C-alpha cells in the first residue's frame, strides 16, 4: 500500500507543513513558500519552472515513453487573519495565517512528489502545479492566462481541498457543479447630504442602501429558479460618521454565488439593473462596479468516477464517498477546469467534531497533520493509475 510507504517520512511532511504554517504569505507574496517548494522538487529530481503568476512553481517529472500527461495542483497562499489556534507552530507573522489549509495542500503534493520520484512507478509526464493567490486574487486565472496549459499540457487535471466536519482522511467526490461561482461588487449610492433633523431636504443614501439590500433578495426568491442555488450577501455598508448628519454617499460591498453558469449570468444581469432602478426610485443614483469573479467549478463525470475509484481501491469504500453535496464556497481551480475540462476537484476530510472541526477562515483553524499521509498517498495512487 502506498500509504504505508509514505508513512515512513510522515515526520518530514509534518516538519514541512509546520515550517510553511509558521511563515504564512499572502497571494503573490509566497516567496519563501515557493522557494521551499522549488528546493524540494529540485532535490528529488524534478525539472522546475518558476515565475508563472509571479510566485508559481511547476515541477515536471517524465518517466518512460508514455504519451499521457497529468496535472495536479495545490495552492500556497495564506489569509490576512491573526492566528488564535494556540498551536506550537502558530504563525510568527501578525495578521497572517494559513486559515484555509493551503500549507497542508502544498505539503500533501510535496509528499506525493517525493514518493513518485523515489518509486517512478508510472509511464508518462507529471506536472505538479503549485499555485499562488487562490484567496481573493484568482492566481489560477493568472496561470491560465500566462499559458499554463500551452507550456505544460495536461490530458487531465486534479486538485484537492481539506474540509472540517468530515472524518479525517475521508475523500469526497461530486460530478458536475461542485463549487459555486463567486462575484464581488462595490456599489456607491449617491444621495444628497443634509441635517438629520430635516431629511426632506436631503436624499438619504443610507436608507436607499437599506432598501437595495432588501430588494436584492427578491432576485433569489423571484428571479432564480427555485430548484437552483443562489446567494446574494451584502457584507458591508459604510456611510457617514455622525448620528445627526445624512451623508452624501453610502458604499456597499456584495458577494454573489451560484451553482450554474445560467444562474450566474442571470444574477450578473439583474443585480446592476435592480440596484440602479431602486436608487433612482428614491431620487438617488448608484455606481455599480463588478470587482472580480470566479466561475462555477464543474467536475468532469468520467474523471470524477476515475478519481473516486482510485480512492476506493486505495482506502476502501468507507473512506471514498461518491455524490457529496456541492459547496457554496468558491475555488479558482474553476479557471483551470474551464480551460481544461477533463478533471476533478475533490475534498479530504479534516476531522469531525473535536478534531480539526474548526471551520476554515477561522482564527482557531489548523490543518490536520493526520491528513498528510493519506493525501500524499492518494496523489501517488492517482498518478500511478492515470499514467499506467
Amino acid at each position: 500500500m502506498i500509504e504505508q510507504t509514505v508513512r515512513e517520512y510522515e515526520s518530514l511532511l509534518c516538519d514541512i507543513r509546520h515550517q510553511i504554517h509558521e511563515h504564512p504569505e499572502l497571494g503573490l507574496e509566497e516567496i519563501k513558500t515557493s522557494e521551499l517548494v522549488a528546493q524540494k522538487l529540485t532535490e528529488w529530481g524534478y525539472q522546475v519552472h518558476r515565475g508563472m503568476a509571479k510566485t508559481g512553481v511547476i515541477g515536471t517529472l517524465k518517466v518512460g515513453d508514455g504519451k499521457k500527461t497529468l496535472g495536479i495542483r495545490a495552492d500556497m497562499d495564506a489569509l490576512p487573519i491573526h492566528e488564535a489556534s494556540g498551536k506550537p507552530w502558530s504563525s510568527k507573522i501578525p495578521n497572517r495565517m494559513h486559515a484555509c489549509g493551503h500549507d497542508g495542500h502544498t505539503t500533501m503534493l510535496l509528499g506525493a512528489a517525493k514518493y513518485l520520484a523515489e518509486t517512478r512507478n508510472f509511464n508518462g509526464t507529471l506536472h505538479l502545479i503549485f499555485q499562488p493567490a487562490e484567496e481573493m486574487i484568482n492566481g489560477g486565472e493568472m496561470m491560465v492566462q500566462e499559458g499554463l496549459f500551452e507550456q505544460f499540457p495536461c490530458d487531465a487535471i486534479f486538485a484537492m481541498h481539506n474540509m472540517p466536519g468530515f472524518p479525517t482522511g475521508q475523500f469526497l467526490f461530486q460530478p458536475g457543479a461542485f463549487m459555486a461561482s463567486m462575484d464581488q461588487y462595490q456599489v456607491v449610492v449617491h444621495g444628497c447630504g443634509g441635517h438629520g433633523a430635516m431629511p426632506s431636504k436631503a436624499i438619504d443614501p443610507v436608507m436607499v442602501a437599506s432598501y437595495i439590500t432588501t430588494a436584492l433578495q427578491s432576485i433569489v426568491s423571484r428571479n432564480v429558479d427555485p430548484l437552483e442555488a443562489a446567494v446574494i450577501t451584502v457584507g458591508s455598508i459604510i456611510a457617514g460618521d455622525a448620528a445627526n448628519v445624512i451623508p452624501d454617499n453610502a458604499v456597499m460591498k456584495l458577494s454573489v454565488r451560484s451553482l450554474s453558469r445560467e444562474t450566474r449570468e442571470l444574477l450578473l444581469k439583474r443585480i446592476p439593473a435592480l440596484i440602479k432602478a431602486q436608487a433612482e426610485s428614491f431620487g438617488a443614483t448608484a455606481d455599480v462596479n463588478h470587482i472580480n469573479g470566479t466561475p462555477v467549478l464543474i467536475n468532469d463525470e468520467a474523471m470524477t468516477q476515475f478519481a473516486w475509484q482510485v480512492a476506493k481501491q486505495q482506502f476502501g469504500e468507507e473512506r471514498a464517498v461518491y455524490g457529496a453535496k456541492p459547496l457554496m464556497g468558491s475555488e479558482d481551480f474553476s479557471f483551470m477546469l474551464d480551460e481544461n475540462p477533463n478533471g476533478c476537484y475533490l475534498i479530504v476530510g479534516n476531522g469531525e467534531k473535536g478534531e480539526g472541526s474548526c471551520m476554515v477562515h477561522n482564527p482557531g483553524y489548523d490543518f490536520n497533520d493526520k491528513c498528510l499521509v493519506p493525501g500524499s498517498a492518494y496523489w501517488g495512487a492517482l498518478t500511478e493509475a492515470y499514467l499506467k
Side-chain angles (χ1 to χ4, degrees), residues 185-225:
Y185 284 94
Q186 179 166 297
V187 178
V188 181
V189 179
H190 300 283
C192 180
H195 197 295
M198 294 175 279
S200 61
K201 299 183 181 300
I203 298 174
D204 187 350
V206 178
M207 183 188 71
V208 177
S210 299
Y211 272 88
I212 289 172
T213 300
T214 301
L216 284 170
Q217 302 311 314
S218 70
I219 297 176
V220 176
S221 65
R222 288 298 179 267
N223 297 141
V224 174
D225 187 323

Side-chain angles (χ1 to χ4, degrees), residues 225-345:
D225 187 323
L227 298 180
E228 295 289 336
V231 177
I232 301 175
T233 298
V234 179
S236 173
I237 301 177
I238 302 174
D241 296 301
N244 63 344
V245 176
I246 294 173
D248 277 325
N249 304 312
V251 179
M252 309 172 66
K253 295 181 180 180
L254 283 64
S255 172
V256 183
R257 300 173 188 272
S258 62
L259 276 174
S260 76
R261 293 188 177 104
E262 294 75 18
T263 299
R264 185 189 183 204
E265 289 176 5
L266 170 66
L267 293 169
L268 294 179
K269 180 180 179 180
R270 286 291 297 132
I271 287 171
L274 183 146
I275 290 174
K276 291 179 180 181
Q278 190 76 5
E280 290 172 4
S281 73
F282 289 97
T285 60
D287 297 329
V288 184
N289 297 308
H290 182 257
I291 304 302
N292 59 28
T294 303
V296 181
L297 185 148
I298 300 176
N299 283 332
D300 176 78
E301 184 170 357
M303 286 297 97
T304 304
Q305 282 273 355
F306 167 76
W308 170 59
Q309 290 291 344
V310 170
K312 191 164 61 168
Q313 292 170 9
Q314 183 68 27
F315 303 107
E317 292 190 8
E318 290 187 0
R319 291 174 62 185
V321 177
Y322 192 84
K325 289 184 178 180
L327 303 170
M328 292 306 290
S330 62
E331 167 56 62
D332 77 347
F333 185 63
S334 58
F335 286 105
M336 296 187 184
L337 285 175
D338 266 15
E339 182 74 12
N340 194 347
N342 197 44
C344 172
Y345 186 81

Side-chain angles (χ1 to χ4, degrees), residues 24-72:
E25 297 170 301
L26 299 181
L28 305 182
E29 300 175 3
E30 304 94 337
I31 306 300
K32 291 183 178 179
T33 306
S34 63
E35 182 65 37
L36 174 62
V37 168
Q39 176 188 340
K40 292 298 182 184
L41 292 175
T42 301
E43 178 185 327
W44 297 330
Y46 286 77
Q47 181 180 351
V48 177
H49 176 92
R50 302 185 64 181
M52 186 172 288
K54 291 188 178 181
T55 51
V57 181
I58 298 99
T60 299
L61 186 64
K62 297 181 180 180
V63 176
D65 58 359
K67 302 302 182 183
K68 292 177 69 176
T69 58
L70 172 66
I72 306 176

Side-chain angles (χ1 to χ4, degrees), residues 88-107:
W89 49 83
S90 292
S91 170
K92 294 182 177 179
I93 304 174
N95 301 314
R96 300 284 187 274
M97 74 168 288
H98 273 288
C100 206
H102 297 184
D103 52 337
H105 304 165
T106 295
T107 305

